[in-house]
Amino acid sequence: MTAALHAARRELEDAGLRGSFLVRDLDTGDELGIDTETEWPIASLVKVPLAVATLERVARGELDPATPITVAPGGLSTPGPTGTAKFRYPATLALDDLLYLCLAISDNGAADALFELTAPAAVTAELRRLGYDGFVVRHLMHDLSETPVEWLEPDRKHLAHTLAIAGATADRGHSLPQLDISQANTASARAFVDLLHGLWRPTRIEPGAAARVRNIMADNLIRQRLAPDFSSDASRWSSKTGTLLNLRHEAGVVEHADGQVLAVAAFTESRVSAAVQPGAEAIMAKVARIIHNELRIRPY
């Protein structure tokens, strides 16, 4: 293991985090990572394979991107959910606009409207058809809003995180189904980097579908996690985040002005019982950047 990976592991341990990270050069295939094969509940990261499956069906003529779809109001008042999940009245939007809301602002209502067209099992099957076997999609986004954090008063949210930390088993099961890898939507850091590789260098994914996903991920409005360390005048960061209780994930691609393009997947789990952890966000980015810099300076 390189000194960089030792340093990355120390940063995670000191911050009370456990994680899987993988960075890959999309042109050379060189890569470097930590615990890259570990399966994780992926929370809102599932919206990327959902978008791929939807757009593959569009490419085959099975779905029309202009189709108007009426989305029921989510009516949620808890902090966190965005878009139609907070709407108070039904809204009618085109399928392609739902894709934008789903990826760019992580709208769970938009994602579930797309899942009505391509069910979770069908998304898994579509990814397997394309050769991406590392994903299992089992449930809707609505299921992620049925956790203890929604049942507790704001000043007691930390108790939901305590349960999330304490409820894990040695074999990555959990007392909360959304965090149990046998029941949740799951993937590994490697599976996600493989999918990003296929989106930025499409050989199996339909090129138009891949381009649409890339364009929306570039418009991601959730920028507090890895974006501060990967966005600059000399680089473009396109990504999707995923958050659920003590899980904080992000996966994306940084395109450098000198032409190097690297995919980055960062999956983390906190041992700290707090709902708001800006320090964890910063350490995630720092660890991802340590690994990225090692690969960028000294390819393997």
Side-chain angles (χ1 to χ4, degrees):
M1 184 186 296
T2 69
L5 292 185
H6 278 297
R9 286 188 182 275
R10 265 196 320 273
E11 291 285 351
L12 291 170
E13 182 64 28
D14 291 347
L17 298 172
R18 186 176 72 85
S20 293
F21 289 75
L22 181 61
V23 180
R24 179 187 298 164
D25 185 311
L26 296 188
D27 292 310
T28 68
D30 296 324
E31 62 179 38
L32 195 61
I34 296 171
D35 296 336
T36 61
E37 311 293 340
T38 301
E39 294 294 314
W40 291 81
I42 56 175
S44 284
L45 286 182
V46 76
K47 292 165 185 170
V48 179
L50 170 60
V52 170
T54 301
L55 286 164
E56 283 287 318
R57 295 188 64 200
V58 168
R60 293 197 297 269
E62 298 173 12
L63 296 173
D64 183 345
T67 299
I69 298 170
T70 299
V71 181
L76 295 179
S77 59
T78 53
T82 58
T84 60
K86 293 291 183 73
F87 282 16
R88 298 173 62 192
Y89 305 100
T92 300
L93 303 118
L95 183 154
D96 193 65
D97 292 331
L98 289 174
L99 281 167
Y100 168 78
L101 294 176
C102 173
L103 288 182
I105 69 167
S106 203
D107 183 333
N108 287 351
D112 280 347
L114 296 172
F115 271 130
E116 288 188 14
L117 300 173
T118 308
V123 173
T124 299
E126 189 67 26
L127 269 287
R128 299 268 170 90
R129 182 188 69 81
L130 292 167
Y132 300 102
D133 298 334
F135 292 84
V136 181
V137 183
R138 296 183 173 98
H139 63 76
L140 304 179
M141 300 310 302
H142 174 74
D143 296 337
L144 300 185
S145 66
E146 298 292 326
T147 72
V149 77
E150 283 75 35
W151 313 334
L152 295 167
E153 295 301 317
D155 62 347
R156 298 175 70 81
K157 299 294 187 189
H158 65 282
L159 297 177
H161 290 259
T162 299
L163 177 59
I165 294 164
T169 66
D171 59 357
R172 300 190 60 74
H174 206 285
S175 57
L176 299 177
Q178 299 92 335
L179 298 177
D180 186 327
I181 62 165
S182 69
Q183 300 182 66
N185 299 327
T186 61
S188 65
R190 180 169 302 283
F192 229 95
V193 165
D194 286 345
L195 183 59
L196 293 172
H197 202 155
L199 287 165
W200 262 257
R201 299 290 184 267
T203 57
R204 292 172 281 179
I205 299 173
E206 197 279 327
R212 182 61 177 144
V213 175
R214 293 196 306 270
N215 289 340
I216 303 177
M217 290 179 68
D219 288 336
N220 180 20
L221 296 180
I222 302 174
R223 312 287 291 181
Q224 83 277 12
R225 199 160 284 173
L226 300 191
D229 276 70
F230 287 100
S231 296
S232 73
D233 287 349
S235 62
R236 183 189 196 196
W237 174 245
S238 307
S239 72
K240 180 72 192 73
T241 58
T243 309
L244 178 65
L245 292 169
N246 64 328
L247 302 182
R248 291 171 178 80
H249 307 328
E250 186 160 359
V253 172
V254 56
E255 299 171 83
H256 291 285
D258 63 8
Q260 191 175 27
V261 181
L262 298 109
V264 181
F267 292 5
T268 70
E269 174 184 76
S270 176
R271 299 190 301 273
V272 178
S273 297
V276 179
Q277 296 186 45
E281 313 270 359
I283 291 299
M284 278 183 68
K286 184 176 182 179
V287 169
R289 189 75 195 195
I290 287 170
I291 299 171
H292 162 278
N293 287 356
E294 179 76 357
L295 189 64
R296 183 158 163 77
I297 294 169
R298 187 169 50 195
Y300 290 81

